[in-house]
Every structure is written in C-alpha cells, then in structure tokens.
Amino acid sequence: MRKYLMAGNWKMNKTIPEAVALSQQLCNYYNRDWDKVDVVLCVPAIDIKAVHTVLDFDKTDIELGAQNVHQEPSGAYTGEISIPMIKEAGCTYCIVGHSERREYFAETDETVNLKVKALVINDVNAIVCVGESLNIRDNDRHLEFVTAQVRAALAGLDADDLSKIVIAYEPIWAIGTGRTATPEQAEEVCAAIRATLADAFNADAACGVRVLYGGSMNVGNVESLLSMPNIDGGLIGGASLDANSFKQLIEAAAHASEE
Ligand code: 13P
C-alpha cells in the first residue's frame, strides 16, 4: 500500500517571519492522525532554515523540501543553491521541473534529468513535475506528452532508484486557475504514468512510486481526486498557503487512507 503524500508548494510566497508563522500554525494543528500521511512543505530557499527550526523544535513528522536545486555540488553558479546546501539545512525532498520553471526559467527535460539523478545519488527525494498545456490536451496528445516527460526525467536511473522518486502530474491549465482536472482526467494520466514506469523499470518498482495530482487541489475536490486508484496525494499551491485549508487537505488524505 502506498502512503498518501501531501506536499505544499509555497512557490514565491512567505517572508521568513510569515514562513515561521505558517509552519508554527501547522505544527499546532498536527496530531497523530497526520501520521497516516506523509506531509512535506516545499518552501522558498530563504525560508528553509527557519522552517526547519520550527519543525524540529515541535518534533512533528512534517518534512521539508526545496523547490529547485542545481545539479552540481558547488561552483561558480551565481544565484543557485546546491543539494548539499538544502540537505544540510534539513530538506529531505526537492521539487524538480515544475512547469513554472520549465516555462519561465528555460528548464528542459535534460536539465530535469540531471537534477533528478543528482538528487537520487545524494539520497534526497525528488518530486518530479510533469504536465501538458491546454493546447496539447485539446489536441489529445496529453498521454503521449506526459509519458515522454516521465521517461526523459528518469533516463539512466535503475529500478532501485524509484524509491526516491515521486511523480507529480500537474496539468498546466489547472495550475492556479481554479479549473481542476476531473478525477477521471487525472486518473487517466496518473495510470499512464504508472504503466510507463512499469515498462521502463518493472511492475513492482512502479507499484511503489507515489503519483501525485497538482492543480487547484482544494477542500472541495480533494476527496474525489484521492479516491482514484493511481492518485497517491497532492502537490498543492494556493491551498497550502493557509494553515487551515492545508490542514483540511491533510485530514482528507488521512481519512481517505482508512478506506
Ligand atoms: P495551485 O494548487 O495553486 O493550482 O498550484 C499547483 C501547483 O503548481 C503546485 O506545484
């Protein structure tokens, strides 16, 4: 059985004091029920240390993630941060290849693959984002497009490495738009992603990988999305910026895991 993973992606939101306040509120809400779910906060780089201090002090099992990283361990890469840096600061996860990074920061399947490989080698869990534009969906090419992104991101990995991989299916047309994919649309792609993993690696390894849905996940749609057999949690933007709404999503996942 795969454990649900609920990951908040704060994107470029929250100053250090705001990040401390939000993570403290979440720690106050934390209870043993949350242990049925893995919870990760993917925060801006500048907030990592402060949020880690809060999570560590409160002894919750909430984990910490970065939103991007450079593949090289150190060097002349002005403005970048490395995997040793995020690890030392307390991150056990890192988002890779979010559609906003692909669109605004010229990330390609090749750079995504380099980052994924570097994270796996360094024992940091990679949340690999894939997803199609509206144009691709309207042309009914979404399955072909997304499964090719998955293959490219994971090229060169072994089946054993999949234990460090989470895939997040985020249709670009559903991100921040309030227009969620229907559970059936999301399930179709998440199932195709798992079939691709089984084909590229093996069925056992594919069965263990968490495939998340992301794109306007909220209190109103979380239950129906998580009821789908191949959706193992969420990568949540807007609704993770408010402690009460993120708490409700985590509790919905805890509840879904009992069914
Ligand atoms: P929203 O939940 O705000 O649509 O963002 C989804 C997302 O991009 C998470 O990475």
Side-chain angles (χ1 to χ4, degrees):
M1 249 321 263
R2 296 179 294 269
K3 193 174 180 184
Y4 283 115
L5 170 63
M6 299 300 270
N9 175 8
W10 291 4
K11 306 193 180 183
M12 196 175 72
N13 294 290
K14 306 293 176 187
T15 61
I16 293 173
E18 289 167 349
V20 167
L22 176 53
S23 48
Q24 187 62 64
Q25 278 176 302
L26 288 168
C27 288
N28 293 345
Y29 283 139
Y30 178 88
N31 62 68
R32 283 292 134 206
D33 225 27
W34 291 27
D35 291 346
K36 296 173 188 148
V37 180
D38 285 337
V39 179
V40 182
L41 307 180
C42 297
V43 309
I46 200 163
D47 296 336
I48 290 172
K49 195 74 188 167
V51 172
H52 183 252
T53 303
V54 173
L55 300 180
D56 195 45
F57 183 80
D58 279 23
K59 301 273 172 284
T60 68
D61 289 329
I62 301 174
E63 293 187 70
L64 192 55
Q67 298 174 6
N68 176 42
V69 82
H70 195 278
Q71 62 270 21
E72 294 297 331
S74 63
Y77 299 101
T78 302
E80 293 293 296
I81 56 171
S82 72
I83 298 170
M85 290 173 187
I86 64 164
K87 248 185 112 162
E88 191 278 334
C91 290
T92 49
Y93 283 82
C94 183
I95 296 173
V96 189
H98 192 280
S99 60
E100 289 150 15
R101 296 215 53 87
R102 294 180 193 251
E103 184 177 352
Y104 308 133
F105 302 98
E107 289 208 10
T108 62
D109 282 343
E110 288 69 35
T111 54
V112 169
N113 179 240
L114 291 173
K115 292 177 189 204
V116 169
K117 286 194 283 202
L119 285 162
V120 166
I121 289 168
N122 285 284
D123 217 23
V124 177
N125 298 291
I127 302 177
V128 183
C129 299
V130 294
E132 80 286 356
S133 65
L134 191 55
N135 183 43
I136 291 174
R137 176 159 283 266
D138 285 346
N139 285 291
D140 204 25
R141 287 185 43 236
H142 51 287
L143 292 182
E144 162 201 344
F145 182 84
V146 168
T147 56
Q149 281 186 318
V150 170
R151 284 184 193 273
L154 306 186
L157 297 190
D158 294 330
D160 288 351
D161 298 329
L162 291 191
S163 62
K164 289 275 152 206
I165 300 291
V166 174
I167 307 282
Y169 168 55
E170 300 205 307
I172 295 168
W173 46 272
I175 295 177
T177 58
R179 180 182 165 187
T180 325
T182 64
E184 293 74 23
Q185 285 174 321
E187 169 64 16
E188 180 196 32
V189 182
C190 293
I193 289 170
R194 198 175 308 285
T196 301
L197 296 175
D199 182 55
F201 299 93
N202 65 57
D204 264 7
C207 194
V209 174
R210 270 128 14 136
V211 182
L212 313 183
Y213 169 78
S216 301
M217 191 181 255
N218 59 42
V219 176
N221 58 35
V222 61
E223 202 180 320
S224 57
L225 286 160
L226 295 186
S227 72
M228 293 289 140
N230 284 290
I231 301 180
D232 307 313
L235 183 56
I236 301 134
S240 74
L241 295 175
D242 173 76
N244 187 49
S245 70
F246 194 47
K247 158 192 182 266
Q248 290 184 59
L249 297 186
I250 294 162
E251 286 171 0
H255 186 248
S257 72
E258 290 161 1
E259 286 167 4

